[in-house]
Amino acid sequence: MSPRYAVFGQPIAHSLSPHIHAAFARQEGIELDYTAIESSPEGFAAALESFAASGGAGANVTAPLKETAFALCKTFTSRAKLAGSVNTLLRKGDYWHGDTTDGVGLVRDLTDRHELDLRGRRVLLLGAGGSARSVAPALLDAGIRELVVVNRTPERADELVDAIGEPGRALSRYWDDLRDLGDFELIVNATSAGRDREAKFELPLSLVNTMTTAVDLNYGDAAVAFLAWARAASCRNMVDGLGMLVEQAASSFQQWHEVRPDTDPVYAELRAKNALAGEE
Ligand code: NDP
C-alpha cells in the first residue's frame, strides 16, 4: 500500500495545505498522495482509523479537530504535550504520534523571513485556543522577555499560563484591562475573531510603541480587521499568517519525509496571490 497523507478539518475545501505539500514534493522529487478530508469532531476518530487502514502515514489537522486529534495520539513531542493540541500526526506502527508545528512555524517566519529579533521583546498574545497554546511556548523559547496572554474567556488564558509554568515571564490579564497593560514590541492575534466579516478590533492605541510589530495568525479576509487596526495604530511592521502556514507545513513535511523543503518559492507564489490585507 503506498503511503497517504491528508489534512483533516471542517470546513476544509479552501485549505492551502494540499497545494503547499504538492509543491514541496515536486521540489524534492517525491511522489505524494496528499488530500483534504472533511471531518466533524464526532466523526474524526473513525475517519482517522479508516485513513490509517488505507495507508495513512501522516496527517495535518486543523480547526476544529486539534484537541480531538491530541486525544487520539498515543505519544507526543514535548511541545505538543504542553499545547494539549496537535496539528501533525505521524503513523508509527499501529498508533499515531502527535506534534504541534504552529509555534515553531510562526517563530521561523518572524525570525528568518521577516528578520525580527524576538529577544528581549515584551509580547501581547490575544487568544488562548489551540494555536495560541503552540505559539506561546515557542515565543518564550525564542527569548522574548515577557508574555502577556489575554483571552475573551479569561479562564483559558489562566490555563495556558499555568501550563507554561514561568510565573515571572508569562502572565494572564483580562481583556477589559488592555488599556492598563502598557505597550508591547510584539502583538500577536491568535484569535479567530476576524473570521466574522463584521468583526472590528477596537484595541487601545496605548498598546503600541515605536517598535511594535503586529502579527495576525490569520491571512486573507480573516486578517483584515486586526491588520486594519494595526495600520491605524501606526504599528511599525505588520505580518499575516501566510508565512507561518508555509513554515508549519514544512515542519510537518520534514517529519514525514526526512527532508526540509525550501519554503521561499512556495511562500512567494502564495504571496503573489494573497496580498497582505489592505495592500493593493
Ligand atoms: P481555536 O478555535 O482553538 O481558538 C480560537 C480563539 O479565538 C480563542 O482564544 C477564542 O476565545 C478566540 N475568539 C474567537 N472569537 C472571538 C471574538 N469574537 N473575540 C475575541 N476572541 C475570539 O482556534 P485556533 O487557535 O486553532 O486558531 C486561531 C486562528 O488562527 C484561526 O482563525 C486560524 O485559522 C488561525 N491559524 C493560522 C495558522 C497559520 O498557519 N497561519 C495556524 C493555526 C491557526 P475563547 O476562548 O473566548 O473562545
Side-chain angles (χ1 to χ4, degrees), residues 17-221:
S17 293
H19 180 82
I20 293 171
H21 281 272
F24 289 161
R26 273 196 303 280
Q27 226 183 65
E28 302 301 334
I30 293 170
E31 250 186 65
L32 185 70
D33 175 0
Y34 185 113
T35 51
I37 302 177
E38 172 124 5
S39 172
S40 65
E42 302 71 40
F44 184 48
L48 195 61
E49 208 175 297
S50 101
F51 177 65
S54 68
N60 285 127
V61 182
T62 187
L65 304 175
K66 288 181 183 177
E67 275 97 17
T68 317
F70 181 83
L72 296 173
C73 290
K74 190 169 159 191
T75 58
F76 310 93
T77 57
S78 51
R79 61 192 181 195
K81 213 168 186 171
L82 184 56
S85 82
V86 296
N87 73 340
T88 304
L89 301 176
L90 175 65
R91 192 73 180 164
K92 289 195 172 183
D94 63 351
Y95 66 88
W96 290 104
H97 175 74
D99 189 18
T100 176
T101 63
D102 286 336
V104 76
L106 176 68
V107 166
R108 206 180 254 267
D109 181 52
L110 295 180
T111 56
D112 294 8
R113 179 164 295 111
H114 296 284
E115 298 181 345
L116 287 178
D117 187 352
L118 297 176
R119 288 171 301 176
R121 292 201 180 215
R122 185 164 189 254
V123 180
L124 175 65
L125 178 61
L126 302 170
S131 59
R133 295 182 68 93
S134 180
V135 158
L139 289 170
L140 289 161
D141 285 351
I144 64 167
R145 175 164 54 91
E146 185 181 72
L147 180 73
V148 179
V149 184
V150 171
N151 191 48
R152 181 179 60 177
T153 309
E155 295 77 15
R156 293 185 84 192
D158 295 343
E159 278 168 28
L160 195 170
V161 162
D162 287 350
I164 289 170
E166 288 196 52
R169 271 177 89 207
L171 38 139
S172 54
R173 291 287 179 264
Y174 292 115
W175 197 289
D176 285 347
D177 293 341
L178 278 173
R179 209 167 291 281
D180 306 321
L181 300 183
D183 54 314
F184 295 84
E185 285 91 36
L186 185 66
I187 303 176
V188 179
N189 176 33
T191 77
S192 51
R195 288 168 168 259
D196 171 2
R197 283 176 174 269
E198 307 295 310
K200 277 206 177 81
F201 271 85
E202 297 191 356
L203 303 170
L205 296 180
S206 56
L207 298 173
V208 174
N209 63 31
T210 54
M211 290 283 292
T212 306
T213 294
V215 179
D216 199 329
L217 267 46
N218 299 279
Y219 52 88
D221 288 348

Side-chain angles (χ1 to χ4, degrees), residues 225-241:
F226 175 72
L227 293 181
W229 170 80
R231 188 164 283 111
S234 302
C235 286
R236 183 170 180 156
N237 300 301
M238 278 158 283
V239 176
D240 69 7

